[in-house]
Amino acid sequence: FSAIAGVWQSTAHPNMSAASSVANARLFVAKTSTARRTSSRRSSVRVMASVAPSIIVGGGRVGQALADMGVPGDVIMKRGDAFPAEPSTGPIYVCTRNDALQGVIDQTPPERRADLVFLQNGMLQPWLDARGLGDNTQALIYFAVAKFGEKPTDGITDVNPEGLTAANGKHAAALQARLAAGGMRCHVLDDDAFKASMFEKLIWICAFMAVGAAHPGATVGDVESTHRAEVVELIEELLKGSAAEKGVKFEPGSVERLCAYARAVAHFPTAVKEFEWRNGFFYGISQEAITAGDRPDPFPKHTALLKQVGAV
């Protein structure tokens, strides 16, 4: 997962509870949005768009990295700054923590909100749908910025040397061009491919963080090597349940892709956090099934693990 770190803070939207996670699960539809623009299954190597002046919300590691890949005319919008009048068109890259998103939306003029590009970890789709922003550009960031001002490290793996970062929506090609200018890979995906990749990334962070939390002090690499059977079992449960509950069509090889990424970021620590955006999504689906009483919990191992680590 990327280090989306910015200085933007907001109290406009309080953290959601486990109950909110249930509501979010209900909001999510099997197809993320029928209005999204489509492209090829995987983008071509050639970048078709040019890097245009853009607004970058958040002056942390990722925001500064995007600015370093940019062009004259880019504006970094930090906490307390007024919304800039220029550039008046083009992408607005949101590089803040999830709990600052409502404040960012509130400060963005209504006529510019369709240009917001969301780069956060976790399941954003139901939250965006509820705010009329379900068709906005989203990106799955697999590069990491270790320190402010340093060049990002691309999230390539021994299974996916072509990289895993992906985007979908109005400004996907613009993000692809900007990342290419910084030597980073980015795939522009169609709706179905992006949905599957979005769920895979969510499953990765939920599975590795939860299993790691059950083994205090374990890094992502420890989970992949020492506790591989446990994490693979959980990944397979989340893949199967996501396909059954949300109609996600995964390409073959999901487990190996996710384990390969774990090897690439083996030093990352583990912890269950930002619950409402991550594990809370799957927990919400579980609670809905249990409450309805018409089907068993589709994620029983996940639910049990969350209880074991004290997350619920």
Side-chain angles (χ1 to χ4, degrees):
F1 57 96
S2 66
I4 295 290
V7 296
W8 188 284
Q9 299 290 332
S10 172
T11 57
H13 178 66
N15 286 340
M16 291 178 284
S17 63
S20 299
S21 299
V22 178
N24 274 352
R26 289 174 180 150
L27 282 167
F28 191 87
V29 292
K31 181 168 175 58
T32 55
S33 173
T34 57
R36 280 191 184 276
R37 297 172 67 183
T38 59
S39 63
S40 61
R41 177 70 170 171
R42 283 281 179 187
S43 64
S44 62
V45 174
R46 183 176 58 193
V47 174
M48 303 301 293
S50 59
V51 182
S54 305
I55 296 170
I56 299 167
V57 183
R61 289 174 287 173
V62 170
Q64 186 60 53
L66 288 182
D68 290 343
M69 302 175 196
V71 295
D74 283 344
V75 175
I76 296 181
M77 180 181 167
K78 298 182 180 180
R79 180 178 57 183
D81 290 349
F83 190 88
E86 296 292 337
S88 59
T89 61
I92 303 170
Y93 297 108
V94 184
C95 306
T96 68
R97 293 175 59 90
N98 297 49
D99 59 8
L101 290 177
Q102 187 64 54
V104 173
I105 292 169
D106 291 344
Q107 193 170 1
T108 303
E111 66 273 13
R112 293 300 314 277
R113 290 177 185 171
D115 292 317
L116 291 168
V117 178
F118 296 95
L119 286 74
Q120 286 68 28
N121 280 312
M123 175 55 73
L124 301 184
Q125 194 63 52
W127 192 88
L128 294 175
D129 287 341
R131 287 154 181 79
L133 301 174
D135 295 328
N136 276 54
T137 305
Q138 292 185 56
L140 307 173
I141 302 300
Y142 279 92
F143 62 79
V145 186
K147 294 181 181 178
F148 182 85
E150 287 190 358
K151 182 173 178 169
T153 301
D154 208 349
I156 60 175
T157 73
D158 51 24
V159 171
N160 293 99
E162 76 280 10
L164 290 164
T165 294
N168 171 268
K170 176 181 178 180
H171 293 304
L175 176 61
Q176 182 190 51
R178 182 171 290 259
L179 294 179
M184 301 287 108
R185 299 165 177 84
C186 178
H187 303 277
V188 176
L189 302 183
D190 66 24
D191 289 355
D192 288 341
F194 186 81
K195 179 179 177 180
S197 294
M198 177 172 63
F199 267 84
E200 277 196 11
K201 191 167 190 286
L202 181 67
I203 288 169
W204 184 88
I205 200 166
C206 290
F208 277 88
M209 295 301 109
V211 172
H215 302 278
T219 64
V220 166
D222 294 332
V223 173
E224 195 277 333
S225 58
T226 307
H227 309 291
R228 183 182 174 94
E230 186 178 354
V231 77
V232 166
E233 187 176 30
L234 182 56
I235 289 170
E236 289 176 340
E237 174 183 271
L238 294 172
L239 289 168
K240 180 179 178 181
S242 297
E245 293 286 328
K246 300 301 178 186
V248 187
K249 299 177 181 178
F250 295 102
E251 290 187 347
S254 295
V255 170
E256 281 309 311
R257 280 193 295 276
L258 298 185
C259 286
Y261 183 60
R263 293 192 293 273
V265 294
H267 62 288
F268 282 13
T270 60
V272 175
K273 54 186 180 180
E274 294 194 321
F275 180 82
E276 60 273 15
W277 303 97
R278 302 180 184 182
N279 297 80
F281 177 75
F282 293 119
Y283 182 71
I285 296 171
S286 294
Q287 291 305 295
E288 184 179 353
I290 293 168
T291 301
D294 57 356
R295 63 195 190 282
D297 183 353
F299 309 116
K301 294 181 179 64
H302 178 255
T303 300
L305 191 56
L306 292 181
K307 292 178 180 179
Q308 178 184 335
V309 302
V312 295

